[in-house]
């Protein structure tokens, strides 16, 4: 069985780094979406959706983190 | 249910003499979405109805009377009798004359006030000298100079050089140095010269007139007068407000009436006309067409001609979504994104079916469900504008409660200890700890469920894609562009099953690979290069549904931290610490519920907009806005 501390660190890196990646991606899309909304308010729906598209990255990070912790049980 | 309301393009040709009745009828029926006629060489656009200028003029007046007050038609008591423009004009003129006379009074008062204030400021200058006002009265042998000056000492010195017979009063405050000089008359010119050199600004004393005594006394008197006049002004303002308030009901009725009149008067701008006829073209729901025609024929004694126009292929037909009461609130999500186009499936029903389930699966806590249900229910009254969204969210709450019971989670608690005995809540699925063993790995059961839901949802999306393709481009396109994906998946499944040893049929590998190659060719023929790029995307889209499990695990994880890591230690200490624990629980769960609404909402709607819609939905329809509806 692997060291529990290392497993925890592995899981948190998977989650943390993917969260940062999502944040960077969403920062730029969000800024552009707000800019577009200022011009045309109906774009709120589309802007919202475009902004949360990179959310998938952090979800995958979270899934990987959960899997790492789950596998550590062996 | 899955299609929007079917529309007919109707053309009405009527004689000009009947135009007014036709407009009136169309406005009452509220069914025709008029297509604006573009001016051509043969057909000009129509002229506004003759009363339009009057209506516009009255509207302007009424808007100024209404000012900022609420223009809503709510809480208006309607009159039973019919309104006409003449009556409205008379009443408005009456209100305006009343207000005008009051305003004139106010103008007079303002003039009076400014005079008094000027007097007051002059008296203030004299006030600092503490001389009775009558002492400034002009005398034969003495000249009087009153005003402001730069330097008193120098003036005094220079005056002493000319004569000793003078009296100089001086006062200084932060702004001005004021003097009053009484000096013999024959030295007047020399004195004036000296004073001028020292920046003397004379104060004209004519205003004193008959006033007597100390300036302060006069100032008090004037201040009292100003107060009285000010009160009069306030009273007049109130009276004006009262005139408006008394008539506000009427004014609002007029406002709404005139707005409708203006709309009717300007309607012919969208019509086409010749010398004696007008032509109105517009969209009407097929179900209402016959009724509309009959109604119009009735009022025009059949002296009217209807023409049913054929839909052109790429014409943009206005969209009226047609859903039952339960699905209606979910049309909100279509308006938020983009309305379906005429030939497309309206996905409101699909969103109604899956959106709340996804949300409930992610939040999945019975008590959170109850709390959010109460929250959304009470918000409906506070924010009537958000009614549709809140109703959809209430549906989400029901599913949250259901999944909470399935997962056996209540405010993040999975078990309860009473008197030292542990009670485990009953559950069907253990979300936190339940796992499936897949190929030697323990994987959370909710993640597996998420992946399966993804597979089903994406395939459902392909099916609707095929339906849309069939309606728009025919069977061949539907098979090549959308159904080909099923072939691809089938081929892949066979290869995988063979690799895992589940299928032992010896040629399975070749059969699977052949299917994959055929499907890829079909996809290329159907969707071009774009379709080939989509091949890896379809897997990442399916995996994206893992979020259904992952977001839920994060949410329940947070709740467990609040309960067991933060609040438990205080509960164990007992006594007053219980209060601290309760505070932590409240704060923690409020935050978690807020996150639990925002997160699952965004993820659930995104799964629909991005993953689900990508394979069948384009949208871009414009909303059906019949003439007569605001």
């Amino acid at each position: 069985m692997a060291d529990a501390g290392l497993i925890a660190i592995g899981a948190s890196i998977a989650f943390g780094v993917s969260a940062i990646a999502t944040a960077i991606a969403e920062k730029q899309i969000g800024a552009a979406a707000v800019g577009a909304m200022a011009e045309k308010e109906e774009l709120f729906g589309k802007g919202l959706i475009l902004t949360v598209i990179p959310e998938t990255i952090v979800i995958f990070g979270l899934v990987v983190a959960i899997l790492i912790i789950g596998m550590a049980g062996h | 249910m899955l299609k929007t309301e079917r529309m007919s393009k109707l053309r009405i040709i009527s004689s000009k003499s009947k135009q007014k009745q036709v407009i009136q009828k169309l406005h009452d029926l509220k069914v025709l979405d008029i297509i604006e006629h573009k001016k051509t060489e043969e057909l000009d656009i129509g002229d506004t109805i003759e009363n339009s200028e009057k209506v516009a003029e009255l509207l302007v007046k009424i808007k100024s009377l209404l000012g900022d007050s609420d223009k809503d038609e709510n809480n208006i008591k309607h009159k039973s009798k019919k309104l006409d423009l003449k009556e409205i004009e008379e009443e408005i003129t009456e209100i305006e004359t009343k207000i005008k006379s009051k305003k004139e009074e106010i103008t007079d008062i303002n003039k009076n006030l400014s005079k008094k204030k000027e007097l007051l400021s002059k008296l203030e200058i004299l006030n600092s000298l503490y001389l009775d006002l009558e002492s400034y009265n002009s005398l034969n042998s003495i000249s009087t100079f009153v005003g402001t000056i730069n330097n008193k000492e120098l003036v005094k010195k220079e005056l002493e050089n000319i004569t000793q017979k003078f009296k100089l009063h001086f006062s200084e405050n932060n702004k001005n140095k004021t003097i009053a000089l009484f000096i013999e008359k024959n030295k007047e010119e020399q004195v004036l010269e000296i004073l001028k050199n020292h920046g003397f600004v004379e104060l004209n004393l004519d205003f004193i007139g008959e006033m007597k005594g100390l300036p302060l006394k006069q100032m008090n008197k004037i201040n009292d007068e100003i107060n009285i006049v000010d009160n009069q002004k306030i009273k007049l303002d109130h009276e004006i407000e009262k005139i408006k308030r008394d008539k506000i009901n009427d004014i609002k009725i007029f406002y709404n009436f005139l707005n409708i009149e203006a709309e009717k008067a300007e309607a012919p701008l969208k019509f086409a006309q010749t010398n004696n006829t007008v032509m109105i073209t517009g969209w009407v729901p097929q179900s209402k067409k016959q009724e509309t025609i009959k109604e119009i024929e009735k009022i025009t004694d059949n002296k009217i001609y209807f023409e049913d126009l054929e839909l052109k292929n790429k014409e943009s037909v206005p969209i009226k979504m047609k859903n039952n009461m339960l699905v209606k609130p979910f049309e909100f999500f279509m308006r938020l994104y983009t309305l379906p186009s005429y030939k497309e499936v309206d996905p409101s029903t699909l969103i109604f079916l899956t959106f709340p389930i996804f949300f409930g699966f992610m939040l999945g806590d019975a008590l959170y469900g109850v709390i959010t249900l109460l929250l959304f229910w009470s918000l409906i009254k506070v924010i009537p504008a958000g009614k549709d969204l809140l109703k959809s969210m209430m549906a989400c709450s029901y599913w949250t409660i259901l999944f909470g019971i399935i997962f056996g989670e209540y405010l993040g608690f999975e078990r309860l200890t009473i008197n030292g005995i542990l009670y485990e809540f009953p559950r069907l699925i253990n979300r936190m700890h339940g796992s499936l063993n897949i190929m030697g790995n323990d994987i959370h059961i909710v993640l597996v469920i998420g992946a399966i839901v993804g597979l089903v949802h994406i395939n459902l999306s392909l099916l609707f894609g095929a339906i849309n393709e069939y309606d728009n481009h025919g069977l061949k396109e539907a098979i090549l562009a959308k159904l080909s994906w099923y072939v691809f998946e089938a081929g892949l499944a066979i290869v995988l099953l063979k690799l895992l040893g589940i299928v032992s049929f010896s040629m399975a590998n070749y059969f699977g690979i052949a299917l994959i190659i055929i499907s890829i060719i079909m996809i290329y023929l159907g969707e071009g290069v774009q379709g080939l790029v989509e091949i890896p995307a379809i897997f990442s889209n399916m995996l994206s549904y893992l979020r259904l499990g992952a977001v839920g695990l994060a949410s329940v994880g947070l709740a467990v931290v609040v309960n067991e890591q933060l609040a438990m230690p205080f509960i164990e200490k007992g006594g007053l610490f219980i209060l601290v624990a309760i505070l932590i629980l409240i704060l923690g769960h409020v935050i978690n519920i807020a996150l639990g609404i925002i997160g699952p909402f965004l993820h659930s709607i995104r799964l629909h907009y991005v993953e689900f819609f990508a394979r069948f939905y384009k949208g871009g329809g414009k909303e059906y806005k019949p003439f007569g509806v605001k």
Side-chain angles (χ1 to χ4, degrees):
Chain A
M1 177 170 166
D3 186 23
L6 284 178
I7 291 167
I9 289 173
S12 49
I13 289 175
F15 184 58
V17 174
S18 59
I20 292 172
T22 305
I24 293 170
E26 286 190 359
K27 176 192 87 177
Q28 300 187 350
I29 303 172
V34 170
M37 255 171 64
E39 293 275 333
K40 209 175 162 197
E41 230 169 292
E42 310 89 89
L43 288 176
F44 175 77
K46 279 191 177 158
L48 183 76
I49 295 319
L50 288 171
T51 311
V52 297
I53 279 180
E55 204 89 330
T56 313
I57 306 171
V58 70
I59 293 296
F60 287 165
L62 183 58
V63 169
V64 168
I66 291 169
L67 289 178
I68 291 176
I69 292 172
M71 285 168 188
H74 284 276
Chain B
M1 196 161 72
L2 283 173
K3 283 277 177 186
T4 56
E5 184 87 54
R6 298 295 91 187
M7 293 282 172
S8 295
K9 197 176 181 183
L10 188 67
R11 176 166 287 168
I12 305 168
I13 298 169
S14 126
S15 77
K16 234 179 192 171
S17 57
K18 295 283 179 196
Q19 174 171 272
K20 220 170 163 180
Q21 285 97 309
V22 172
I23 290 176
Q24 178 62 45
K25 194 76 216 172
L26 285 174
H27 196 275
D28 293 345
L29 288 172
K30 303 193 194 321
V31 289
L32 192 76
D33 188 346
I34 301 171
I35 301 169
E36 203 171 328
H37 173 73
K38 296 267 164 4
K39 190 176 172 172
T40 59
E41 271 180 36
E42 301 91 41
L43 279 174
D44 200 355
I45 57 168
D47 301 319
T48 52
I49 293 177
E50 70 273 16
N51 66 6
S52 72
E53 271 175 40
K54 187 98 243 165
V55 171
E57 186 194 320
L58 286 174
L59 251 183
V60 170
K61 282 185 180 171
I62 284 210
K63 271 185 197 160
S64 80
L65 280 179
L66 264 176
D68 297 332
S69 60
D70 177 27
K71 295 182 183 66
D72 242 350
E73 210 171 340
N74 304 333
N75 56 50
I76 296 179
K77 292 179 217 87
H78 277 283
K79 285 181 178 173
S80 49
K81 62 175 179 170
K82 241 175 150 250
L83 292 165
D84 68 69
L85 285 182
K86 206 165 184 188
E87 190 190 331
I88 292 177
E89 193 179 10
E90 275 165 18
E91 190 153 351
I92 291 177
T93 323
E94 195 190 317
I95 297 171
E96 275 190 333
T97 1
K98 273 189 202 162
I99 291 178
K100 203 176 163 196
S101 74
K102 302 275 175 204
K103 282 205 169 143
E104 272 165 10
E105 275 182 60
I106 289 181
T107 321
D108 288 345
I109 287 176
N110 278 340
K111 269 185 204 158
N112 192 355
L113 261 182
S114 65
K115 260 185 211 161
K116 284 197 191 305
K117 281 188 178 151
E118 198 190 332
L119 192 59
L120 206 57
S121 68
K122 284 177 179 169
L123 279 171
E124 204 158 351
I125 295 171
L126 294 185
N127 183 33
S128 55
L129 295 166
Y130 293 106
L131 292 172
D132 279 343
L133 288 168
E134 51 265 42
S135 54
Y136 297 108
N137 286 348
S138 55
L139 295 169
N140 289 337
S141 55
I142 295 174
S143 288
T144 311
F145 297 96
V146 178
T148 54
I149 204 158
N150 289 340
N151 192 323
K152 171 212 168 194
E153 293 307 320
L154 281 175
V155 170
K156 197 171 178 189
K157 228 176 249 168
E158 284 177 38
L159 286 174
E160 274 163 358
N161 289 340
I162 317 169
T163 172
Q164 292 295 325
K165 289 180 193 165
F166 69 88
K167 177 94 180 130
L168 182 67
H169 294 268
F170 176 77
S171 88
E172 183 174 356
N173 59 19
N174 48 2
K175 271 187 274 173
N176 302 313
K177 291 171 184 158
T178 315
I179 56 157
L181 174 65
F182 302 96
I183 199 160
E184 48 185 331
K185 201 154 210 169
N186 48 12
K187 296 285 193 308
E188 199 177 82
E189 276 170 26
Q190 284 164 283
V191 170
L192 206 55
E193 189 68 22
I194 293 170
L195 287 175
K196 265 183 186 163
N197 288 339
H198 294 283
F200 178 68
V201 180
E202 191 171 10
L203 179 69
N204 192 331
L205 292 175
D206 293 345
F207 69 90
I208 293 176
E210 297 298 305
M211 286 193 279
K212 283 196 171 99
L214 277 175
L216 193 63
K217 206 180 98 192
Q218 292 296 335
M219 278 165 73
N220 286 337
K221 208 174 125 196
I222 293 173
N223 268 326
D224 287 345
E225 283 169 15
I226 287 180
N227 273 338
I228 292 169
V229 178
D230 262 339
N231 281 334
Q232 274 176 357
K233 207 170 108 181
I234 292 169
K235 213 176 120 198
L236 282 169
D237 275 334
H238 282 308
E239 277 169 21
I240 291 178
E241 283 306 309
K242 191 171 176 302
I243 294 171
K244 284 188 191 172
R245 208 168 42 237
D246 288 347
K247 293 283 177 189
I248 194 76
N249 191 47
D250 282 4
I251 294 176
K252 278 186 184 173
I253 292 174
F254 296 161
Y255 178 77
N256 287 309
F257 174 80
L258 288 172
N259 260 332
I260 292 169
E261 285 303 307
E263 202 187 348
K264 284 190 227 161
E266 281 161 16
L269 293 175
K270 291 181 176 174
F271 302 167
Q273 72 170 4
T274 62
N275 285 339
N276 297 312
T277 56
V278 284
M279 184 175 89
I280 309 164
T281 317
W283 298 101
V284 56
Q286 272 175 15
S287 53
K288 301 235 174 95
K289 192 175 77 181
Q290 288 312 323
E291 190 197 327
T292 310
I293 291 177
K294 241 181 240 159
E295 288 279 337
I296 295 174
E297 276 174 343
K298 219 190 286 171
I299 53 137
T300 50
D301 313 323
N302 293 337
K303 283 175 189 152
I304 195 152
Y305 174 73
F306 291 95
E307 193 180 349
D308 224 340
L309 300 172
E310 265 184 42
L311 289 191
K312 282 177 217 139
N313 204 9
K314 293 217 166 155
E315 202 157 19
S316 100
V317 184
I319 299 304
K320 186 185 180 205
M321 288 186 277
K322 189 176 66 171
N323 290 301
N324 62 36
M325 216 180 73
L326 281 174
V327 182
K328 206 104 200 149
F330 289 84
E331 290 179 356
F332 166 83
F333 293 104
M334 302 318 301
R335 293 209 176 81
L336 185 66
Y337 190 57
T338 161
L339 286 178
S341 66
Y342 190 64
K343 286 190 171 177
E344 259 178 336
V345 168
D346 169 15
S348 306
T349 314
L350 306 170
I351 291 187
F352 159 75
L353 288 175
T354 47
F355 174 79
I357 298 182
F358 289 1
F359 184 98
F361 189 80
M362 283 189 260
L363 193 51
D365 185 302
L367 286 181
Y368 279 5
V370 174
I371 293 168
T372 51
L373 182 65
L374 292 174
L375 178 72
F376 297 137
W377 180 74
S378 51
L379 276 179
I380 286 185
K381 286 189 188 100
V382 186
I383 322 167
K387 209 172 93 190
D388 280 352
L389 173 63
L390 290 167
K391 276 189 177 167
S392 331
M393 294 312 290
M394 278 170 73
C396 297
S397 292
Y398 295 132
W399 283 99
T400 308
I401 296 171
L402 183 67
F403 277 108
I405 294 168
I406 291 175
F407 297 145
E409 282 173 27
Y410 303 84
L411 274 188
F413 288 105
E414 296 179 290
R415 58 190 76 83
L416 210 59
T417 320
I418 301 169
N419 296 333
I421 307 164
L422 197 72
Y423 294 97
E424 191 84 18
F425 293 129
R427 59 173 60 86
L428 288 174
I429 296 169
N430 189 331
R431 177 151 73 153
M432 276 292 273
H433 312 290
S435 56
L436 280 180
N437 194 301
I438 295 171
M439 288 177 273
N441 293 315
D442 279 335
I443 295 176
H444 270 87
I445 192 160
V446 279
L447 292 181
V448 179
I449 294 175
I452 294 170
V453 171
L455 184 72
V456 174
H457 212 223
I458 295 286
N459 280 316
L460 199 65
S461 146
L462 283 169
L463 178 68
F464 286 109
I467 295 174
N468 277 345
E469 283 292 335
Y470 176 71
D471 284 349
N472 281 307
H473 303 113
L475 187 62
K476 193 181 146 207
E477 276 296 308
I479 291 173
L480 284 180
K482 300 294 171 186
L483 295 179
S484 52
W485 289 94
Y486 289 143
V487 180
F488 178 77
E489 282 172 6
L492 202 66
I494 289 169
V495 173
L496 279 176
L497 288 174
K498 172 79 182 168
L499 282 178
L500 293 171
I502 299 170
V503 174
S504 51
F505 172 50
S506 62
M507 296 293 277
N509 258 344
Y510 301 107
F511 184 57
I513 290 170
L515 278 184
I516 292 176
I517 292 171
I518 292 171
S519 67
I520 289 177
I521 295 170
M522 284 163 77
I523 292 170
Y524 177 73
L525 291 175
E527 298 197 86
V529 182
Q530 203 193 344
L532 299 180
V533 177
E534 282 279 306
I535 289 172
I538 199 164
F539 296 111
S540 72
N541 280 351
M542 283 176 192
L543 288 179
S544 188
Y545 284 78
L546 288 177
R547 74 183 66 226
L548 288 177
V551 172
L553 284 176
S555 159
V556 67
L558 207 57
V560 168
V561 166
V562 170
N563 291 340
E564 288 174 13
Q565 251 73 26
L566 295 176
M568 248 335 173
F570 287 104
I571 291 175
E572 278 162 5
K573 278 185 186 172
L576 273 178
F577 285 106
I578 299 276
L579 285 178
V580 181
I582 291 174
L583 213 67
I584 289 175
L585 284 175
I586 291 176
L587 193 68
H589 285 297
V590 164
I591 293 173
N592 200 23
I593 287 173
L595 290 174
I597 295 170
I598 298 167
F601 173 84
L602 280 179
H603 285 294
S604 182
I605 198 64
R606 169 231 145 91
L607 282 178
H608 288 87
Y609 284 164
V610 181
E611 274 81 9
F612 187 52
F613 280 3
R615 282 172 185 78
F616 72 97
Y617 188 70
K618 288 199 184 63
K622 71 174 193 319
E623 185 139 35
Y624 165 69
K625 278 192 192 130
F627 176 57
V629 175
K630 270 180 209 166

